[in-house]
Amino acid sequence: MPSVLQNVTFDCAVPVKLARFWSEVTGQPVDDYDSFYATVTLPNDTVLYFARVPESKTVKNRVHLCLRPDVPRDAEVSRLIGIGARLVADHRRPNGHGWVVLADPEGNEFCVLRGTPER
């Protein structure tokens, strides 16, 4: 029998702060938190789990999330930067294809793909 993805864990310094950022990204509330962890549950029941760790991020993520917004990609990139994301790399192409790499407030990279209206 195959496995089911239960959660994606983010190591971080301040779990509730990072969970609030991802709550804004996904439009889902912070479900639970204390000083050691926080959670955001997505509509498909996958949990974003934020765990407090003592060390900071030092290298590029080997696994990252890719987001496909319901709005045009450029509008979503602007919104995410407005709530605290940082631009890492811009791979948009003149023909409208491509993606944008952003980082969350703790430096975890994620991509924003073309939005649903552009697909």
Side-chain angles (χ1 to χ4, degrees), residues 44-97:
N44 67 0
D45 291 329
T46 300
V47 175
L48 300 181
Y49 186 89
F50 305 88
R52 189 175 88 186
V53 297
E55 64 276 358
S56 62
K57 183 176 179 302
T58 58
V59 298
K60 182 182 180 296
N61 296 8
R62 301 264 330 245
V63 175
H64 65 267
L65 303 180
C66 292
L67 307 177
R68 185 179 60 222
D70 287 336
V71 298
R73 177 193 53 225
D74 295 351
E76 183 68 349
V77 167
S78 294
R79 182 183 81 85
L80 296 174
I81 289 172
I83 64 169
R86 176 179 50 83
L87 179 66
V88 174
D90 191 336
H91 297 285
R92 290 177 277 197
R93 298 194 175 98
N95 66 3
H97 292 269

Side-chain angles (χ1 to χ4, degrees), residues 19 22-23 26 28-31 38-42 46-50:
W22 282 98
S23 171
T26 64
Q28 301 303 310
V30 175
D31 299 318
T39 61
V40 173
T41 303
L42 303 179
T46 300
V47 175
L48 300 181
Y49 186 89
F50 305 88

